Amino acid sequence: MTSDCASSSPPGDVFATTHWTVVLAAGKRGSPDSQRALEELCRTYWFPLYAYVRRRGYSREDAEDLTQTFFARLLEKNFLKDVDGEKGKFRAFLLAALKHFLANEWDKSQRQKRGGGAAHLSLDWRTADTKFQVAAVNEPSPDKAFDREWALALLAKVIERLQAECAADGKAKLFDALKIFLTAGRGESAQGDVAKALGMEEGAVRVAIHRLRKRYRALLREEIAQTLSDPAQVDAEMQALFGAFH
Protein backbone atom coordinates (compact mmCIF):
# COMPACT_ATOMS: atom_id res chain seq x y z
CA MET A 1 0.00 0.00 0.00
CA THR A 2 1.43 3.38 -0.96
CA SER A 3 0.76 7.07 -0.45
CA ASP A 4 2.30 10.33 -1.59
CA CYS A 5 4.60 10.19 1.42
CA ALA A 6 4.75 6.53 2.36
CA SER A 7 6.73 3.82 0.67
CA SER A 8 5.31 0.37 0.07
CA SER A 9 4.50 -1.71 3.11
CA PRO A 10 6.71 -4.72 3.78
CA PRO A 11 5.44 -7.90 2.13
CA GLY A 12 3.74 -10.59 4.14
CA ASP A 13 0.94 -10.82 6.63
CA VAL A 14 1.10 -7.93 9.09
CA PHE A 15 -0.57 -10.11 11.73
CA ALA A 16 2.07 -12.84 11.58
CA THR A 17 4.62 -11.09 13.80
CA THR A 18 2.62 -8.57 15.83
CA HIS A 19 4.15 -7.57 19.15
CA TRP A 20 1.59 -9.15 21.48
CA THR A 21 1.60 -12.33 19.42
CA VAL A 22 5.37 -12.50 19.87
CA VAL A 23 5.02 -12.06 23.62
CA LEU A 24 2.35 -14.74 23.93
CA ALA A 25 4.19 -17.17 21.66
CA ALA A 26 7.06 -17.20 24.13
CA GLY A 27 4.65 -18.11 26.93
CA LYS A 28 6.11 -18.34 30.41
CA ARG A 29 9.55 -19.18 29.10
CA GLY A 30 10.25 -15.77 27.64
CA SER A 31 12.68 -14.94 24.85
CA PRO A 32 14.77 -11.95 23.70
CA ASP A 33 12.22 -11.21 20.97
CA SER A 34 9.26 -11.36 23.34
CA GLN A 35 11.11 -9.21 25.88
CA ARG A 36 11.83 -6.53 23.30
CA ALA A 37 8.25 -6.67 22.03
CA LEU A 38 6.86 -6.32 25.53
CA GLU A 39 9.17 -3.41 26.33
CA GLU A 40 8.14 -1.60 23.14
CA LEU A 41 4.46 -2.06 23.91
CA CYS A 42 4.96 -0.83 27.46
CA ARG A 43 6.89 2.25 26.35
CA THR A 44 4.07 3.16 24.00
CA TYR A 45 1.25 2.62 26.47
CA TRP A 46 2.72 3.50 29.87
CA PHE A 47 0.91 6.81 30.32
CA PRO A 48 -2.65 5.39 30.46
CA LEU A 49 -1.51 3.20 33.35
CA TYR A 50 0.13 6.10 35.18
CA ALA A 51 -3.05 8.15 34.75
CA TYR A 52 -5.16 5.23 35.96
CA VAL A 53 -3.09 5.01 39.15
CA ARG A 54 -3.48 8.76 39.69
CA ARG A 55 -7.23 8.44 39.29
CA ARG A 56 -7.20 5.77 41.97
CA GLY A 57 -6.14 8.51 44.38
CA TYR A 58 -2.35 8.12 44.50
CA SER A 59 -0.05 11.13 44.54
CA ARG A 60 2.18 11.97 41.59
CA GLU A 61 5.24 10.56 43.34
CA ASP A 62 3.51 7.35 44.41
CA ALA A 63 1.98 6.91 40.95
CA GLU A 64 5.42 7.22 39.34
CA ASP A 65 6.87 4.67 41.76
CA LEU A 66 3.94 2.29 41.37
CA THR A 67 3.98 2.46 37.58
CA GLN A 68 7.73 1.95 37.34
CA THR A 69 7.69 -0.92 39.84
CA PHE A 70 4.76 -2.51 38.03
CA PHE A 71 6.73 -2.50 34.77
CA ALA A 72 9.82 -3.83 36.55
CA ARG A 73 7.80 -6.79 37.85
CA LEU A 74 6.03 -7.26 34.51
CA LEU A 75 9.33 -7.36 32.61
CA GLU A 76 10.59 -9.98 35.03
CA LYS A 77 7.70 -12.16 33.74
CA ASN A 78 5.96 -12.27 37.10
CA PHE A 79 2.55 -11.37 35.70
CA LEU A 80 2.42 -13.22 32.39
CA LYS A 81 1.42 -16.36 34.26
CA ASP A 82 -0.98 -14.66 36.67
CA VAL A 83 -3.57 -13.02 34.44
CA ASP A 84 -4.64 -15.57 31.85
CA GLY A 85 -8.19 -14.52 30.99
CA GLU A 86 -7.35 -11.25 29.25
CA LYS A 87 -4.44 -12.28 27.05
CA GLY A 88 -6.36 -11.76 23.81
CA LYS A 89 -6.00 -7.99 24.17
CA PHE A 90 -2.85 -6.40 25.50
CA ARG A 91 -4.90 -3.42 26.69
CA ALA A 92 -7.20 -5.58 28.80
CA PHE A 93 -4.35 -7.76 30.03
CA LEU A 94 -2.26 -4.79 31.10
CA LEU A 95 -5.08 -3.11 33.03
CA ALA A 96 -6.05 -6.37 34.71
CA ALA A 97 -2.41 -6.97 35.64
CA LEU A 98 -2.13 -3.45 37.06
CA LYS A 99 -5.27 -3.92 39.16
CA HIS A 100 -3.88 -7.21 40.43
CA PHE A 101 -0.60 -5.47 41.26
CA LEU A 102 -2.28 -2.58 43.09
CA ALA A 103 -4.51 -4.93 45.08
CA ASN A 104 -2.04 -7.63 46.01
CA GLU A 105 1.55 -6.89 45.11
CA TRP A 106 2.41 -3.40 46.33
CA ASP A 107 4.08 -3.05 49.70
CA LYS A 108 5.19 0.51 50.36
CA SER A 109 7.73 -0.64 52.92
CA GLN A 110 9.44 -2.57 50.10
CA ARG A 111 9.23 0.25 47.55
CA GLN A 112 12.10 0.52 45.09
CA LYS A 113 12.26 4.10 43.88
CA ARG A 114 11.83 4.25 40.10
CA GLY A 115 12.29 0.50 39.94
CA GLY A 116 15.47 0.40 42.02
CA GLY A 117 17.98 -2.08 40.68
CA ALA A 118 15.38 -4.21 38.94
CA ALA A 119 14.83 -4.29 35.22
CA HIS A 120 12.90 -1.15 34.32
CA LEU A 121 11.80 1.06 31.47
CA SER A 122 13.23 4.49 30.84
CA LEU A 123 10.11 6.65 31.00
CA ASP A 124 9.83 10.40 30.58
CA TRP A 125 8.13 11.63 33.75
CA ARG A 126 8.83 15.33 33.09
CA THR A 127 5.48 16.10 31.48
CA ALA A 128 3.46 13.19 32.80
CA ASP A 129 1.68 15.06 35.58
CA THR A 130 0.89 18.08 33.42
CA LYS A 131 -0.51 15.74 30.78
CA PHE A 132 -2.56 13.99 33.46
CA GLN A 133 -3.99 17.27 34.78
CA VAL A 134 -5.13 18.20 31.27
CA ALA A 135 -6.63 14.74 30.70
CA ALA A 136 -8.39 14.76 34.07
CA VAL A 137 -10.54 17.82 33.34
CA ASN A 138 -13.70 15.82 32.59
CA GLU A 139 -12.91 13.26 35.32
CA PRO A 140 -14.48 10.14 33.79
CA SER A 141 -14.26 6.81 35.57
CA PRO A 142 -10.71 5.43 35.85
CA ASP A 143 -11.49 2.51 33.54
CA LYS A 144 -13.14 4.63 30.84
CA ALA A 145 -10.37 7.21 31.07
CA PHE A 146 -7.82 4.43 30.69
CA ASP A 147 -9.44 3.36 27.40
CA ARG A 148 -9.57 6.95 26.16
CA GLU A 149 -5.95 7.63 26.97
CA TRP A 150 -4.95 4.30 25.45
CA ALA A 151 -6.66 5.39 22.22
CA LEU A 152 -4.85 8.74 22.33
CA ALA A 153 -1.51 7.00 22.82
CA LEU A 154 -2.29 4.69 19.91
CA LEU A 155 -3.17 7.60 17.62
CA ALA A 156 0.01 9.43 18.61
CA LYS A 157 2.03 6.33 17.70
CA VAL A 158 0.30 6.11 14.31
CA ILE A 159 1.00 9.78 13.55
CA GLU A 160 4.64 9.24 14.56
CA ARG A 161 4.96 6.29 12.18
CA LEU A 162 3.29 8.15 9.32
CA GLN A 163 5.48 11.20 9.86
CA ALA A 164 8.59 9.01 9.83
CA GLU A 165 7.52 7.39 6.56
CA CYS A 166 6.99 10.79 4.95
CA ALA A 167 10.33 12.08 6.22
CA ALA A 168 12.08 8.98 4.85
CA ASP A 169 10.55 9.73 1.44
CA GLY A 170 11.73 13.35 1.61
CA LYS A 171 8.18 14.64 2.06
CA ALA A 172 8.21 15.91 5.62
CA LYS A 173 6.97 19.34 4.46
CA LEU A 174 4.03 17.75 2.67
CA PHE A 175 3.10 15.77 5.77
CA ASP A 176 3.28 18.86 7.98
CA ALA A 177 0.93 20.68 5.61
CA LEU A 178 -1.56 17.83 5.20
CA LYS A 179 -1.68 16.28 8.68
CA ILE A 180 -4.52 18.63 9.68
CA PHE A 181 -6.71 16.72 7.22
CA LEU A 182 -6.26 13.38 8.97
CA THR A 183 -9.13 14.29 11.26
CA ALA A 184 -12.55 15.62 10.32
CA GLY A 185 -13.40 19.29 10.21
CA ARG A 186 -11.17 20.63 7.44
CA GLY A 187 -13.03 21.40 4.22
CA GLU A 188 -12.23 22.23 0.63
CA SER A 189 -11.47 25.88 1.39
CA ALA A 190 -8.67 24.83 3.69
CA GLN A 191 -7.39 22.45 1.01
CA GLY A 192 -7.24 25.38 -1.42
CA ASP A 193 -5.18 27.42 1.03
CA VAL A 194 -2.76 24.56 1.53
CA ALA A 195 -2.48 24.02 -2.21
CA LYS A 196 -1.50 27.66 -2.70
CA ALA A 197 1.04 27.47 0.13
CA LEU A 198 2.60 24.34 -1.38
CA GLY A 199 2.43 25.58 -4.96
CA MET A 200 0.32 22.59 -5.96
CA GLU A 201 -2.92 22.14 -7.87
CA GLU A 202 -5.96 21.61 -5.64
CA GLY A 203 -6.68 18.32 -7.36
CA ALA A 204 -3.19 17.08 -6.55
CA VAL A 205 -3.66 18.10 -2.92
CA ARG A 206 -6.98 16.23 -2.74
CA VAL A 207 -5.30 13.10 -4.10
CA ALA A 208 -2.43 13.46 -1.63
CA ILE A 209 -4.89 13.86 1.26
CA HIS A 210 -6.83 10.79 0.14
CA ARG A 211 -3.66 8.70 0.01
CA LEU A 212 -2.41 10.03 3.33
CA ARG A 213 -5.72 9.16 5.00
CA LYS A 214 -5.65 5.71 3.43
CA ARG A 215 -2.17 5.06 4.76
CA TYR A 216 -3.19 6.48 8.14
CA ARG A 217 -6.07 4.01 8.38
CA ALA A 218 -3.78 1.13 7.37
CA LEU A 219 -1.21 2.06 10.02
CA LEU A 220 -3.97 2.44 12.59
CA ARG A 221 -5.15 -1.09 11.94
CA GLU A 222 -1.56 -2.36 12.08
CA GLU A 223 -0.93 -0.62 15.40
CA ILE A 224 -4.11 -2.02 16.92
CA ALA A 225 -3.24 -5.47 15.58
CA GLN A 226 0.08 -5.31 17.43
CA THR A 227 -1.85 -5.28 20.71
CA LEU A 228 -4.08 -8.25 19.85
CA SER A 229 -3.54 -11.99 19.56
CA ASP A 230 -6.40 -12.45 17.06
CA PRO A 231 -6.62 -10.26 13.92
CA ALA A 232 -10.39 -10.81 13.87
CA GLN A 233 -10.61 -8.55 16.93
CA VAL A 234 -9.28 -5.42 15.17
CA ASP A 235 -12.65 -3.92 14.22
CA ALA A 236 -14.13 -4.60 17.64
CA GLU A 237 -11.10 -3.10 19.38
CA MET A 238 -11.29 0.02 17.22
CA GLN A 239 -14.96 0.41 18.09
CA ALA A 240 -14.29 -0.06 21.79
CA LEU A 241 -11.42 2.40 21.90
CA PHE A 242 -13.06 5.19 19.99
CA GLY A 243 -16.28 4.65 21.88
CA ALA A 244 -14.33 5.90 24.92
CA PHE A 245 -14.36 9.42 23.45
CA HIS A 246 -18.16 9.63 23.72
Side-chain angles (χ1 to χ4, degrees):
M1 184 174 294
T2 61
S3 78
D4 274 14
C5 56
S7 56
S8 298
S9 301
D13 184 357
V14 67
F15 300 116
T17 56
T18 56
H19 295 327
W20 186 226
T21 300
V22 171
V23 174
L24 292 181
K28 299 175 184 178
R29 301 184 304 277
S31 72
D33 285 343
S34 69
Q35 184 77 357
R36 284 191 294 269
L38 183 59
E39 289 180 7
E40 184 174 343
L41 284 167
C42 290
R43 284 195 182 94
T44 298
Y45 297 109
W46 69 270
F47 178 76
L49 280 86
Y50 165 80
Y52 178 86
V53 176
R54 289 297 313 275
R55 285 187 172 86
R56 290 285 296 269
Y58 293 93
S59 69
R60 180 189 68 187
E61 293 81 6
D62 282 349
E64 291 180 8
D65 289 333
L66 282 162
T67 305
Q68 185 66 78
T69 304
F70 168 74
F71 281 128
R73 303 244 182 116
L74 181 69
L75 295 175
E76 290 169 358
K77 302 291 188 279
N78 285 353
F79 289 162
L80 289 177
K81 65 180 183 301
D82 291 334
V83 186
D84 294 326
E86 302 289 358
K87 285 188 176 180
K89 301 178 182 179
F90 183 65
R91 171 174 60 91
F93 160 77
L94 205 57
L95 182 58
L98 178 65
K99 290 179 177 179
H100 177 78
F101 169 76
L102 292 176
N104 301 312
E105 301 291 338
W106 176 246
D107 181 348
K108 288 189 177 182
S109 67
Q110 300 297 319
R111 179 186 304 172
Q112 297 179 344
K113 290 292 186 179
R114 308 301 187 266
H120 67 282
L121 293 174
S122 177
L123 303 177
D124 184 2
W125 300 109
R126 291 173 297 177
T127 60
D129 194 63
T130 299
K131 186 177 177 182
F132 168 74
Q133 297 297 341
V134 171
V137 171
N138 295 324
E139 206 59 51
S141 69
D143 285 60
K144 184 173 182 179
F146 172 82
D147 287 346
R148 185 187 65 190
E149 284 153 12
W150 186 282
L152 289 171
L154 186 148
L155 292 174
K157 180 69 172 178
V158 171
I159 293 293
E160 179 184 333
R161 289 181 61 188
L162 188 55
Q163 183 177 28
E165 286 187 356
C166 292
D169 281 353
K171 296 178 180 177
K173 182 179 179 181
L174 181 64
F175 174 82
D176 288 340
L178 300 186
K179 64 183 178 182
I180 61 172
F181 299 104
L182 291 175
T183 56
R186 298 287 180 172
E188 291 187 5
S189 60
Q191 293 179 14
D193 293 339
V194 169
K196 290 179 182 178
L198 292 173
M200 296 172 61
E201 296 290 335
E202 285 191 43
V205 168
R206 284 195 293 271
V207 170
I209 292 170
H210 172 75
R211 291 177 177 172
L212 192 67
R213 286 172 172 168
K214 186 176 181 180
R215 183 60 180 155
Y216 175 77
R217 290 191 295 269
L219 289 176
L220 177 60
R221 293 183 66 84
E222 285 185 19
E223 195 63 35
I224 290 176
Q226 289 176 355
T227 70
L228 303 172
S229 60
D230 181 0
Q233 295 178 321
V234 171
D235 289 333
E237 182 72 345
M238 288 181 68
Q239 184 177 0
L241 286 173
F242 295 109
F245 290 113
H246 301 295

